[in-house]
Amino acid sequence: MASSCAPVIASQLAKGNAPLIGYLTVGYPDVDTTVRAGKTLIDAGFSILELGLPYSDPGMDGTVIQATGAAALAAGTRTSHVFQAVEQLAATGAPIVVMSYYNPIFRYGEQEFARDLANAGGAGTITPDLIPDEAASWIAACDQYDLDRIFLVAPSSTDARLRSTVAACRGFVYAASTMGVTGERAAVDTTAKTLVARTRAAGAQHVCVGLGVSTAAQAREIGAFADGVIVGSALLRALGDGVSHLARLGEELVSGAQGARA
């Protein structure tokens, strides 16, 4: 059974580093390459991996993640392949979380999904379109199998919504710090820092930020105030040019995050 993400985050913060969380779409360009890419990021210094379960209606994802998900589905990637990738990457010792819209979990069966993820060594899930108010049975399944359950907060979240979401989370709180779909950004504004502060005030221990990070400078800037820096689209774009390109970008991002909290 994998441990929670929280101890890994706390360990990096204690060293003055901002933990990096890397997103990969399982099955892009194929499952074997997903696993190789994940090991490459862990070797580069990423603390946690987020494996995306490809979905036919990814309404909250930007164009890069949508395209990789469509390619993975067209290549025949299914939920069983996601668990296979989790199992191989969890063997590295890094926490592996699955990012999935709720419908695939519901169709698979909440208890069955939680059981199979735990058996594969997964640390937990991020469910971007599921709110805690409607997640009682999913939360119970995660509790039964000792899985992190990670929900999202946004700039539009009220203080009451922040408190209820923080109370439902285990592992960390995912701060989606821009309104709209995900994707790379050219610059960092003050919205993310404000959202992190509000979420901490609501009781969160660890708040990790997804903001379309693509450079070492952005990783350092966000890592100075967030408890984790989530990178997705930039990694997938680099992976499209080959694992060696992904490795170079991963190393650059890690260099930016190291010492960001010192």
Side-chain angles (χ1 to χ4, degrees):
M1 184 74 66
S3 63
S4 168
C5 295
V8 173
I9 293 172
S11 175
Q12 285 298 311
L13 293 175
K15 298 173 184 176
N17 302 325
L20 281 171
I21 302 170
Y23 175 95
L24 296 169
T25 302
V26 176
Y28 175 77
D30 55 67
V31 177
D32 287 344
T33 303
T34 300
V35 172
R36 189 154 61 98
K39 291 178 178 178
T40 297
L41 292 177
I42 292 168
D43 288 344
F46 275 65
S47 299
I48 298 167
L49 291 184
E50 179 185 330
L51 296 185
L53 192 158
Y55 182 48
S56 59
D57 188 22
M60 297 175 69
D61 292 321
T63 55
V64 173
I65 294 178
Q66 285 192 26
T68 59
L73 288 173
T77 305
R78 298 296 182 262
T79 303
S80 60
H81 298 113
V82 175
F83 292 138
Q84 291 170 19
V86 169
E87 184 171 17
Q88 293 180 69
L89 288 167
T92 65
I96 312 298
V97 297
V98 169
M99 165 79 89
S100 176
Y101 289 88
Y102 177 62
N103 191 54
I105 294 174
F106 178 77
R107 290 293 301 271
Y108 195 92
E110 292 174 318
Q111 289 286 328
E112 292 80 3
F113 193 100
R115 177 200 65 207
D116 290 352
L117 177 58
N119 287 341
T125 61
I126 301 169
T127 46
D129 62 339
L130 181 64
I131 58 175
D133 317 48
E134 301 173 355
S137 57
W138 174 239
I139 290 172
C142 290
D143 284 347
Q144 180 178 346
Y145 290 99
D146 197 27
L147 294 171
D148 284 353
R149 47 183 192 271
I150 300 158
F151 298 99
L152 274 65
V153 296
S156 60
S157 300
T158 64
D159 289 344
R161 170 64 63 186
L162 288 176
R163 288 191 296 270
S164 64
T165 303
V166 167
C169 285
R170 177 180 183 260
F172 63 87
V173 181
Y174 190 124
S177 55
T178 57
M179 299 301 290
V181 299
T182 63
E184 295 163 275
R185 308 287 185 218
V188 176
D189 60 26
T190 60
T191 306
K193 192 171 185 177
T194 300
L195 179 58
V196 169
R198 291 181 61 220
T199 307
R200 286 205 185 105
Q205 181 180 15
H206 295 132
V207 186
C208 299
V209 170
L211 186 65
V213 169
S214 59
T215 68
Q218 290 175 339
R220 189 169 192 83
E221 184 176 356
I222 294 172
F225 62 83
D227 301 308
V229 181
I230 301 168
V231 189
S233 296
L235 296 176
L236 290 168
R237 191 183 298 278
L239 181 58
D241 294 325
V243 175
S244 61
H245 288 79
L246 175 76
R248 282 196 292 272
L249 177 59
E251 290 166 0
E252 290 174 10
L253 292 168
V254 169
S255 71
Q258 285 182 338
R261 291 291 291 272

